[in-house]
Amino acid sequence: MGTNSYDFELDKIKELIKNRDARRVGLQLPEGLKTVAIEIASEITKDTGAEVILSGSSCFGACDVDEKLERIVDLLFHFGHSDTFSFKKRKVFFIELRSNVGIKSVLEKAIAELKGDCVGLVATVQHVHALEEAKILLAHAGKRAVIGKSKNLKYDGQVLGCDFSSATVPCDEILFLGSGSFHPIGLALYEGKRVIAADPFTMQINIHEPDEQRKKRYIAIGRALDAKSVGILIGQKCGQFNLNEAAALRLKAVHKGLDAYLIALEEITEANLLGFKVDAFVNTACPRLAEDFVHFKKPVISATEFEVVLGERDWEDLWQ
Ligand code: SF4
């Protein structure tokens, strides 16, 4: 995907650099858009004279601002997410990368998949400006669309992999506008509703059923029930750091007779966990990470799921 599909707000960026007399700026792009990083860097340097440093580290979410790069630049532009984790007072600017692509055709395909007459309408920040248009198109098709308020995010109807509060509306289905399966899988899992995912870029429609997703988590928790030792993972990315929760979980685990250890990591990957001789891992970083590890040799469960293992939460209350 090229720079034409998104609004990179380059004029705004160049103006900010000039107004603040920034001599060195950082650019942090999500994985899929690193391919256009060189193009953007060279335009910025040509038009402002500022030296650009590109972040080569991972960039998976709004939680993932490159703090080390931030320390050595005058301004840091983080692309693809909205400000969510209170970076407002710092020198980080969020470029939301709003989509320039129309939604009418993909929405018509999605409408054909709806079973009921009421649907919760949500989107990633890239498409959140298209939700009102989507609501009108749905009304023309005889469907009532509800755009819910988000508790923590900037826009109504906006969802993040760890914040689906705008999807909690009184409709039995959810229509998601955005790319990939990360958000719709999470919506199905946490909201317990059928999700119709419509991707305006690829024009693809995918359906995600809650029972399929929940079954995978029940299996992971079931595998952790026999653990005698656990590693409690602390994410060191700025928006994922949760030391207090990790320390409290370790104490609870010890109280229940388990051996429990705190493990801090910048990148939580299967390879980084392999060497630790424990029976299971409990993740306190990105709450969605455990879902990526369903095929890992040892179970990785979330903090909430660990409460089931500890006997402090009923299975039925897992998604409350
Ligand atoms: S914590 Fe996870 S889901 Fe939330 S923004 Fe970060 S990467 Fe995305």
Side-chain angles (χ1 to χ4, degrees):
M1 199 163 300
T3 48
N4 292 341
S5 307
Y6 297 104
D7 182 1
F8 281 82
E9 302 186 57
L10 286 180
D11 290 339
K12 178 177 130 184
I13 291 173
K14 287 183 249 179
E15 203 181 312
L16 260 167
I17 293 171
K18 285 178 188 163
N19 289 346
R20 300 201 174 208
D21 199 22
R23 303 316 307 151
R24 180 177 285 157
V25 301
L27 305 183
Q28 191 184 13
L29 288 125
E31 299 314 300
L33 286 173
K34 285 197 165 82
T35 48
V36 295
I38 300 292
E39 204 180 312
I40 295 171
S42 95
E43 181 174 333
I44 289 175
T45 301
K46 179 167 71 65
D47 293 350
T48 67
E51 180 180 57
V52 173
I53 303 181
L54 299 168
S55 172
S57 303
S58 62
C59 178
F60 293 119
C63 60
D64 207 354
V65 168
D66 189 336
E67 289 183 301
K68 287 181 185 146
L69 181 56
E70 186 194 348
R71 275 184 228 131
I72 58 169
V73 293
D74 300 318
L75 293 175
L76 173 62
F77 295 97
H78 176 105
F79 292 81
H81 307 109
S82 60
D83 188 3
T84 307
F85 293 87
S86 303
F87 293 105
K88 286 190 183 74
K89 293 195 187 83
R90 295 164 34 171
K91 52 192 176 187
V92 183
F93 286 87
F94 288 79
I95 306 297
E96 295 176 350
L97 292 182
R98 296 301 182 96
S99 159
N100 296 322
V101 172
I103 57 152
K104 190 167 182 281
S105 306
V106 79
L107 209 78
E108 280 165 2
K109 285 173 84 177
I111 287 168
E113 299 293 341
L114 291 173
K115 289 185 175 169
D117 290 333
C118 176
V119 66
L121 199 48
V122 296
T124 54
V125 73
Q126 278 72 49
H127 302 281
V128 83
H129 55 283
L131 286 178
E132 283 301 332
E133 182 192 344
K135 188 174 176 176
I136 293 167
L137 290 169
L138 280 152
H140 286 158
K143 308 283 182 187
R144 190 170 78 89
V146 182
I147 302 172
K149 294 229 170 290
S150 171
K151 278 192 202 146
N152 308 304
L153 304 181
K154 215 168 160 186
Y155 307 102
D156 289 350
Q158 184 189 355
V159 288
L160 206 61
C162 53
D163 191 333
F164 298 121
S165 51
S166 67
T168 309
V169 295
C171 302
D172 293 337
E173 288 172 298
I174 297 168
L175 201 163
F176 164 80
L177 276 181
S179 300
S181 57
F182 181 67
H183 296 91
I185 283 178
L187 282 161
L189 182 63
Y190 290 96
E191 293 299 314
K193 293 178 184 173
R194 181 171 180 265
V195 177
I196 296 92
D199 185 337
F201 293 130
T202 64
M203 291 290 294
Q204 295 232 321
I205 304 292
N206 285 295
I207 314 282
H208 300 272
E209 299 288 350
D211 289 350
E212 278 169 39
Q213 305 307 330
R214 290 185 170 183
K215 198 171 153 198
K216 290 181 198 161
R217 298 316 309 154
Y218 291 142
I219 292 169
I221 301 165
R223 289 174 64 211
L225 283 173
D226 297 330
K228 302 276 182 289
S229 58
V230 290
I232 316 274
L233 306 178
I234 304 166
Q236 289 181 301
K237 288 184 186 293
C238 49
Q240 297 186 11
F241 183 67
N242 214 337
L243 177 60
N244 290 344
E245 183 184 24
L249 283 175
R250 194 190 75 81
L251 288 180
K252 281 182 185 179
V254 169
H255 187 69
K256 290 278 174 184
L258 297 175
D259 280 337
Y261 306 90
L262 296 173
I263 303 169
L265 304 92
E266 182 91 22
E267 292 279 334
I268 302 178
T269 64
E270 182 172 351
N272 286 345
L273 298 184
L274 268 179
F276 295 108
K277 291 181 181 167
V278 290
D279 300 326
F281 295 98
V282 180
N283 167 44
T284 66
C286 165
R288 301 292 309 285
L289 218 54
E291 295 158 39
D292 285 346
F293 292 142
V294 282
H295 304 299
F296 188 30
K297 238 170 77 188
K298 293 174 187 172
V300 184
I301 57 174
S302 70
T304 309
E305 291 166 350
F306 190 46
E307 289 174 9
V308 174
V309 172
L310 294 175
E312 293 182 349
R313 182 185 283 265
D314 290 333
W315 289 81
E316 307 82 66
D317 297 337
L318 258 175
W319 318 108
Q320 302 298 312

